Short mmCIF file of all heavy atoms in Angstrom, two decimals:
data_model
loop_
_atom_site.label_atom_id
_atom_site.label_comp_id
_atom_site.label_asym_id
_atom_site.label_seq_id
_atom_site.Cartn_x
_atom_site.Cartn_y
_atom_site.Cartn_z
N GLU A 1 0.83 -1.20 0.00
CA GLU A 1 0.00 0.00 0.00
C GLU A 1 0.87 1.25 0.00
O GLU A 1 0.61 2.21 -0.73
CB GLU A 1 -0.93 -0.04 1.22
CG GLU A 1 -2.06 0.97 1.15
CD GLU A 1 -3.03 0.80 2.29
OE1 GLU A 1 -2.64 1.03 3.46
OE2 GLU A 1 -4.19 0.44 2.01
N PHE A 2 1.93 1.25 0.82
CA PHE A 2 2.84 2.39 0.88
C PHE A 2 3.47 2.64 -0.49
O PHE A 2 3.52 3.79 -0.96
CB PHE A 2 3.92 2.15 1.93
CG PHE A 2 4.89 3.30 2.07
CD1 PHE A 2 4.61 4.35 2.92
CD2 PHE A 2 6.07 3.34 1.33
CE1 PHE A 2 5.48 5.42 3.04
CE2 PHE A 2 6.94 4.39 1.44
CZ PHE A 2 6.66 5.44 2.30
N ASN A 3 3.95 1.59 -1.14
CA ASN A 3 4.58 1.74 -2.46
C ASN A 3 3.60 2.24 -3.51
O ASN A 3 3.99 2.98 -4.41
CB ASN A 3 5.22 0.42 -2.89
CG ASN A 3 6.45 0.09 -2.07
OD1 ASN A 3 7.17 0.97 -1.62
ND2 ASN A 3 6.69 -1.20 -1.86
N ALA A 4 2.34 1.87 -3.38
CA ALA A 4 1.32 2.36 -4.32
C ALA A 4 1.01 3.84 -4.08
O ALA A 4 0.87 4.60 -5.03
CB ALA A 4 0.05 1.52 -4.19
N PHE A 5 0.91 4.24 -2.81
CA PHE A 5 0.58 5.63 -2.48
C PHE A 5 1.77 6.57 -2.64
O PHE A 5 1.60 7.73 -3.00
CB PHE A 5 0.07 5.74 -1.05
CG PHE A 5 -1.27 5.13 -0.80
CD1 PHE A 5 -1.60 4.67 0.48
CD2 PHE A 5 -2.22 4.99 -1.78
CE1 PHE A 5 -2.84 4.11 0.74
CE2 PHE A 5 -3.46 4.43 -1.55
CZ PHE A 5 -3.77 3.98 -0.28
N TYR A 6 2.97 6.10 -2.33
CA TYR A 6 4.17 6.95 -2.30
C TYR A 6 5.30 6.28 -3.10
O TYR A 6 6.29 5.83 -2.53
CB TYR A 6 4.60 7.20 -0.85
CG TYR A 6 3.47 7.66 0.02
CD1 TYR A 6 2.82 6.76 0.88
CD2 TYR A 6 3.00 8.97 -0.02
CE1 TYR A 6 1.75 7.17 1.67
CE2 TYR A 6 1.94 9.38 0.76
CZ TYR A 6 1.32 8.47 1.61
OH TYR A 6 0.26 8.86 2.38
N PRO A 7 5.17 6.22 -4.42
CA PRO A 7 6.14 5.49 -5.24
C PRO A 7 7.54 6.10 -5.26
O PRO A 7 8.51 5.41 -5.58
CB PRO A 7 5.52 5.51 -6.64
CG PRO A 7 4.59 6.67 -6.63
CD PRO A 7 4.10 6.81 -5.22
N ASP A 8 7.69 7.35 -4.88
CA ASP A 8 9.00 8.00 -4.89
C ASP A 8 9.73 7.89 -3.55
O ASP A 8 10.81 8.46 -3.39
CB ASP A 8 8.85 9.49 -5.24
CG ASP A 8 8.31 9.68 -6.66
OD1 ASP A 8 8.56 8.79 -7.50
OD2 ASP A 8 7.63 10.69 -6.91
N GLU A 9 9.14 7.15 -2.61
CA GLU A 9 9.75 6.99 -1.29
C GLU A 9 10.00 5.52 -1.02
O GLU A 9 9.45 4.65 -1.68
CB GLU A 9 8.84 7.61 -0.22
CG GLU A 9 8.62 9.10 -0.44
CD GLU A 9 7.81 9.75 0.66
OE1 GLU A 9 8.00 9.40 1.84
OE2 GLU A 9 6.98 10.62 0.34
N ASN A 10 10.86 5.25 -0.03
CA ASN A 10 11.22 3.88 0.31
C ASN A 10 10.79 3.56 1.73
O ASN A 10 10.85 4.41 2.62
CB ASN A 10 12.74 3.69 0.23
CG ASN A 10 13.27 4.01 -1.15
OD1 ASN A 10 12.84 3.42 -2.11
ND2 ASN A 10 14.19 4.96 -1.22
N ILE A 11 10.42 2.30 1.97
CA ILE A 11 10.08 1.83 3.31
C ILE A 11 10.90 0.57 3.57
O ILE A 11 11.08 -0.26 2.67
CB ILE A 11 8.57 1.57 3.47
CG1 ILE A 11 8.26 1.18 4.92
CG2 ILE A 11 8.07 0.56 2.48
CD1 ILE A 11 6.79 1.12 5.24
N LEU A 12 11.40 0.46 4.80
CA LEU A 12 12.21 -0.69 5.17
C LEU A 12 11.84 -1.10 6.59
O LEU A 12 11.91 -0.29 7.52
CB LEU A 12 13.70 -0.33 5.10
CG LEU A 12 14.69 -1.41 5.47
CD1 LEU A 12 14.58 -2.60 4.51
CD2 LEU A 12 16.10 -0.86 5.46
N PHE A 13 11.42 -2.36 6.75
CA PHE A 13 11.15 -2.92 8.05
C PHE A 13 12.40 -3.67 8.49
O PHE A 13 12.95 -4.47 7.73
CB PHE A 13 9.96 -3.89 8.00
CG PHE A 13 8.63 -3.20 7.92
CD1 PHE A 13 8.10 -2.85 6.70
CD2 PHE A 13 7.92 -2.92 9.07
CE1 PHE A 13 6.86 -2.22 6.61
CE2 PHE A 13 6.68 -2.28 8.99
CZ PHE A 13 6.16 -1.94 7.76
N VAL A 14 12.86 -3.40 9.71
CA VAL A 14 14.05 -4.04 10.25
C VAL A 14 13.77 -4.55 11.66
O VAL A 14 12.74 -4.21 12.26
CB VAL A 14 15.26 -3.07 10.27
CG1 VAL A 14 15.61 -2.60 8.87
CG2 VAL A 14 15.01 -1.89 11.19
N SER A 15 14.70 -5.33 12.19
CA SER A 15 14.60 -5.79 13.56
C SER A 15 16.01 -5.91 14.13
O SER A 15 16.97 -5.42 13.53
CB SER A 15 13.85 -7.12 13.65
OG SER A 15 13.50 -7.38 14.99
N GLU A 16 16.13 -6.58 15.27
CA GLU A 16 17.42 -6.74 15.93
C GLU A 16 18.44 -7.35 14.98
O GLU A 16 18.13 -8.29 14.26
CB GLU A 16 17.27 -7.65 17.15
CG GLU A 16 16.31 -7.12 18.19
CD GLU A 16 16.02 -8.17 19.25
OE1 GLU A 16 16.98 -8.72 19.82
OE2 GLU A 16 14.84 -8.43 19.49
N GLY A 17 19.65 -6.82 14.99
CA GLY A 17 20.72 -7.38 14.17
C GLY A 17 20.73 -6.93 12.73
O GLY A 17 21.57 -7.38 11.95
N SER A 18 19.83 -6.06 12.33
CA SER A 18 19.80 -5.58 10.95
C SER A 18 20.96 -4.63 10.70
O SER A 18 21.40 -3.93 11.61
CB SER A 18 18.48 -4.86 10.66
OG SER A 18 17.41 -5.75 10.77
N LEU A 19 21.44 -4.60 9.46
CA LEU A 19 22.51 -3.67 9.11
C LEU A 19 22.01 -2.23 9.15
O LEU A 19 22.76 -1.31 9.48
CB LEU A 19 23.08 -4.00 7.73
CG LEU A 19 23.80 -5.34 7.63
CD1 LEU A 19 24.23 -5.60 6.20
CD2 LEU A 19 24.98 -5.39 8.58
N THR A 20 20.76 -2.02 8.79
CA THR A 20 20.15 -0.69 8.87
C THR A 20 19.49 -0.56 10.22
O THR A 20 18.74 -1.44 10.64
CB THR A 20 19.11 -0.50 7.77
OG1 THR A 20 19.73 -0.70 6.50
CG2 THR A 20 18.50 0.90 7.82
N GLU A 21 19.77 0.53 10.93
CA GLU A 21 19.22 0.74 12.26
C GLU A 21 18.52 2.09 12.32
O GLU A 21 18.84 3.01 11.58
CB GLU A 21 20.33 0.71 13.30
CG GLU A 21 21.03 -0.62 13.41
CD GLU A 21 22.14 -0.61 14.45
OE1 GLU A 21 22.54 0.49 14.90
OE2 GLU A 21 22.61 -1.70 14.80
N VAL A 22 17.60 2.20 13.26
CA VAL A 22 16.96 3.48 13.53
C VAL A 22 17.96 4.31 14.33
O VAL A 22 18.33 3.94 15.44
CB VAL A 22 15.65 3.28 14.31
CG1 VAL A 22 15.09 4.62 14.77
CG2 VAL A 22 14.64 2.53 13.46
N ALA A 23 18.43 5.40 13.74
CA ALA A 23 19.43 6.24 14.39
C ALA A 23 18.80 7.38 15.18
O ALA A 23 19.29 7.76 16.23
CB ALA A 23 20.39 6.80 13.34
N ARG A 24 17.74 7.94 14.65
CA ARG A 24 17.05 9.07 15.29
C ARG A 24 15.57 8.76 15.29
O ARG A 24 14.92 8.77 14.25
CB ARG A 24 17.32 10.36 14.50
CG ARG A 24 16.68 11.61 15.09
CD ARG A 24 16.85 12.82 14.18
NE ARG A 24 16.57 12.56 12.78
CZ ARG A 24 15.35 12.55 12.24
NH1 ARG A 24 14.29 12.75 12.97
NH2 ARG A 24 15.20 12.32 10.94
N VAL A 25 15.03 8.48 16.45
CA VAL A 25 13.63 8.04 16.57
C VAL A 25 12.70 9.24 16.37
O VAL A 25 12.79 10.22 17.10
CB VAL A 25 13.37 7.38 17.93
CG1 VAL A 25 11.91 6.99 18.06
CG2 VAL A 25 14.28 6.18 18.13
N ASP A 26 11.82 9.14 15.37
CA ASP A 26 10.80 10.16 15.15
C ASP A 26 9.49 9.80 15.84
O ASP A 26 8.71 10.68 16.19
CB ASP A 26 10.53 10.34 13.66
CG ASP A 26 11.72 10.94 12.93
OD1 ASP A 26 12.35 11.87 13.47
OD2 ASP A 26 12.04 10.47 11.82
N PHE A 27 9.27 8.51 16.02
CA PHE A 27 8.02 8.03 16.61
C PHE A 27 8.30 6.67 17.22
O PHE A 27 8.99 5.84 16.62
CB PHE A 27 6.94 7.93 15.53
CG PHE A 27 5.61 7.45 16.01
CD1 PHE A 27 4.77 8.27 16.74
CD2 PHE A 27 5.19 6.16 15.73
CE1 PHE A 27 3.55 7.82 17.18
CE2 PHE A 27 3.96 5.70 16.16
CZ PHE A 27 3.14 6.54 16.89
N GLU A 28 7.76 6.44 18.42
CA GLU A 28 7.96 5.16 19.09
C GLU A 28 6.70 4.78 19.84
O GLU A 28 6.04 5.63 20.44
CB GLU A 28 9.13 5.29 20.07
CG GLU A 28 9.48 4.03 20.79
CD GLU A 28 10.76 4.16 21.59
OE1 GLU A 28 11.27 5.29 21.76
OE2 GLU A 28 11.26 3.14 22.05
N ILE A 29 6.37 3.51 19.79
CA ILE A 29 5.17 3.04 20.46
C ILE A 29 5.37 1.59 20.86
O ILE A 29 6.15 0.87 20.25
CB ILE A 29 3.92 3.20 19.55
CG1 ILE A 29 2.64 3.02 20.33
CG2 ILE A 29 3.99 2.26 18.38
CD1 ILE A 29 1.39 3.46 19.59
N GLY A 30 4.69 1.19 21.89
CA GLY A 30 4.74 -0.21 22.32
C GLY A 30 5.49 -0.37 23.62
O GLY A 30 5.85 0.60 24.29
N LEU A 31 5.74 -1.61 23.95
CA LEU A 31 6.38 -1.93 25.21
C LEU A 31 7.84 -1.51 25.22
O LEU A 31 8.55 -1.69 24.25
CB LEU A 31 6.31 -3.44 25.47
CG LEU A 31 4.92 -4.03 25.63
CD1 LEU A 31 5.03 -5.54 25.80
CD2 LEU A 31 4.22 -3.43 26.83
N MET A 32 8.25 -0.94 26.34
CA MET A 32 9.65 -0.64 26.56
C MET A 32 10.28 -1.88 27.17
O MET A 32 9.60 -2.84 27.50
CB MET A 32 9.81 0.56 27.50
CG MET A 32 9.17 1.83 26.97
SD MET A 32 9.94 2.42 25.47
CE MET A 32 11.42 3.11 26.14
N GLU A 33 11.57 -1.86 27.37
CA GLU A 33 12.23 -2.98 28.01
C GLU A 33 11.64 -3.19 29.40
O GLU A 33 11.28 -2.25 30.09
CB GLU A 33 13.73 -2.73 28.12
CG GLU A 33 14.42 -2.74 26.78
CD GLU A 33 15.92 -2.56 26.92
OE1 GLU A 33 16.47 -2.93 27.96
OE2 GLU A 33 16.51 -2.05 25.98
N GLU A 34 11.56 -4.44 29.79
CA GLU A 34 11.00 -4.77 31.09
C GLU A 34 11.98 -4.41 32.20
O GLU A 34 13.18 -4.31 31.98
CB GLU A 34 10.67 -6.25 31.15
CG GLU A 34 9.59 -6.65 30.16
CD GLU A 34 9.28 -8.13 30.24
OE1 GLU A 34 9.62 -8.76 31.25
OE2 GLU A 34 8.69 -8.64 29.29
N VAL A 35 11.46 -4.23 33.41
CA VAL A 35 12.30 -3.98 34.56
C VAL A 35 13.07 -5.24 34.89
O VAL A 35 12.51 -6.34 34.91
CB VAL A 35 11.43 -3.54 35.78
CG1 VAL A 35 12.29 -3.39 37.01
CG2 VAL A 35 10.71 -2.25 35.45
N VAL A 36 14.36 -5.11 35.11
CA VAL A 36 15.22 -6.24 35.42
C VAL A 36 15.48 -6.26 36.92
O VAL A 36 15.81 -5.23 37.50
CB VAL A 36 16.56 -6.14 34.66
CG1 VAL A 36 17.48 -7.29 35.02
CG2 VAL A 36 16.30 -6.08 33.16
N PHE A 37 15.35 -7.42 37.53
CA PHE A 37 15.57 -7.54 38.97
C PHE A 37 16.91 -8.19 39.23
O PHE A 37 17.18 -9.28 38.73
CB PHE A 37 14.45 -8.37 39.63
CG PHE A 37 13.13 -7.67 39.61
CD1 PHE A 37 12.23 -7.88 38.59
CD2 PHE A 37 12.80 -6.76 40.61
CE1 PHE A 37 11.02 -7.22 38.57
CE2 PHE A 37 11.60 -6.10 40.59
CZ PHE A 37 10.70 -6.32 39.57
N GLU A 38 17.75 -7.50 39.97
CA GLU A 38 19.04 -8.02 40.37
C GLU A 38 19.14 -7.89 41.88
O GLU A 38 18.99 -6.80 42.42
CB GLU A 38 20.17 -7.24 39.71
CG GLU A 38 20.19 -7.39 38.19
CD GLU A 38 21.24 -6.51 37.55
OE1 GLU A 38 21.97 -5.81 38.28
OE2 GLU A 38 21.33 -6.52 36.32
N ASN A 39 19.38 -9.00 42.56
CA ASN A 39 19.52 -9.00 44.01
C ASN A 39 18.31 -8.40 44.70
O ASN A 39 18.43 -7.57 45.60
CB ASN A 39 20.80 -8.27 44.44
CG ASN A 39 22.03 -8.90 43.87
OD1 ASN A 39 22.08 -10.11 43.69
ND2 ASN A 39 23.02 -8.10 43.54
N ASP A 40 17.13 -8.75 44.23
CA ASP A 40 15.87 -8.29 44.81
C ASP A 40 15.68 -6.78 44.73
O ASP A 40 14.89 -6.20 45.47
CB ASP A 40 15.74 -8.74 46.27
CG ASP A 40 15.68 -10.24 46.37
OD1 ASP A 40 15.12 -10.89 45.45
OD2 ASP A 40 16.19 -10.77 47.36
N ALA A 41 16.40 -6.11 43.86
CA ALA A 41 16.23 -4.66 43.69
C ALA A 41 15.90 -4.39 42.22
O ALA A 41 16.49 -4.98 41.32
CB ALA A 41 17.50 -3.91 44.08
N ALA A 42 14.94 -3.51 41.99
CA ALA A 42 14.54 -3.18 40.62
C ALA A 42 15.55 -2.25 39.98
O ALA A 42 16.02 -1.30 40.60
CB ALA A 42 13.16 -2.53 40.62
N THR A 43 15.91 -2.54 38.75
CA THR A 43 16.78 -1.67 37.98
C THR A 43 15.94 -1.05 36.88
O THR A 43 15.60 -1.72 35.91
CB THR A 43 17.95 -2.47 37.36
OG1 THR A 43 18.62 -3.16 38.39
CG2 THR A 43 18.90 -1.56 36.62
N PRO A 44 15.56 0.22 37.03
CA PRO A 44 14.68 0.82 36.01
C PRO A 44 15.45 1.10 34.72
O PRO A 44 16.66 1.28 34.72
CB PRO A 44 14.22 2.12 36.67
CG PRO A 44 15.30 2.45 37.64
CD PRO A 44 15.87 1.14 38.11
N TYR A 45 14.71 1.14 33.63
CA TYR A 45 15.25 1.47 32.32
C TYR A 45 15.00 2.95 32.08
O TYR A 45 13.88 3.43 32.20
CB TYR A 45 14.55 0.63 31.25
CG TYR A 45 14.87 1.05 29.84
CD1 TYR A 45 16.07 0.67 29.25
CD2 TYR A 45 13.99 1.81 29.10
CE1 TYR A 45 16.38 1.03 27.97
CE2 TYR A 45 14.29 2.19 27.80
CZ TYR A 45 15.50 1.79 27.24
OH TYR A 45 15.79 2.16 25.96
#
């Protein structure tokens, strides 16, 4: 749909370990990293 609506632009879906990375976040949504427990103490992200 994106390629049909915007043929002069490119879209790329990536994930962990991809050569292309998001360098400057313009928009972010969803779960953040979970709280990690070490020695019964919470380590916030």
Side-chain angles (χ1 to χ4, degrees):
E1 194 174 66
F2 181 87
N3 289 328
F5 290 154
Y6 311 101
D8 296 331
E9 299 184 38
N10 301 303
I11 184 171
L12 179 62
F13 285 87
V14 299
S15 194
E16 299 170 52
S18 296
L19 294 176
T20 302
E21 296 179 347
V22 172
R24 182 187 45 83
V25 178
D26 292 318
F27 180 75
E28 182 172 11
I29 193 167
L31 297 177
M32 300 296 284
E33 291 183 28
E34 296 180 18
V35 175
V36 177
F37 292 93
E38 296 175 1
N39 300 327
D40 296 327
T43 305
Y45 171 78

